[in-house]
Amino acid sequence: MAPMKSERSQLKRAVRQLRRIRSFYAAAMVLWAGSAALTSWQAAGSRQLMVCVVLLAVFAALFVMANVALRRLGVPATAARVQRHATTSTVSNAGGRAAA
């Protein structure tokens, strides 16, 4: 049985949110990796370094869990983008200017 329209829209919303939060987790991993590198250069073995490493591990785990959730949903990476850009726009050129 095919999913209903509301189920499909919920699936699209879930995929969009997972992709957005996955990019946030990736940025946080880069930030904490840089912070851990800088802290290890300045104060190796300090408590601040351990906090940076723990936060890096937490965001890495969240990133992996978001990737697993996206794979379980079974949506290809470019399917939503291709479908959205494949539709034609119905906006008329009322201004008389050529479309760029």
Side-chain angles (χ1 to χ4, degrees):
M1 184 177 199
M4 296 173 50
K5 185 176 181 180
S6 63
E7 290 175 0
R8 279 183 277 165
S9 65
Q10 288 177 350
L11 178 68
K12 286 181 184 179
R13 184 177 300 128
V15 168
R16 190 171 47 244
Q17 289 174 348
L18 276 172
R19 285 186 180 143
R20 189 175 299 141
I21 199 69
R22 185 179 60 173
S23 65
F24 173 77
Y25 292 153
M29 283 179 8
V30 169
L31 175 76
W32 286 113
S35 180
L38 182 66
T39 305
S40 68
W41 181 265
Q42 293 176 349
S46 67
R47 184 176 293 172
Q48 290 87 1
L49 177 62
M50 300 314 307
V51 169
C52 290
V53 170
V54 166
L55 286 171
L56 175 62
V58 166
F59 281 108
L62 289 170
F63 181 77
V64 168
M65 289 181 1
N67 280 335
V68 168
L70 277 171
R71 276 201 187 181
R72 284 188 182 170
L73 288 174
V75 179
T78 59
R81 294 180 189 132
V82 170
Q83 183 180 11
R84 183 172 55 222
H85 293 297
T87 59
T88 60
S89 177
T90 58
V91 177
S92 66
N93 191 5
R97 298 183 194 126

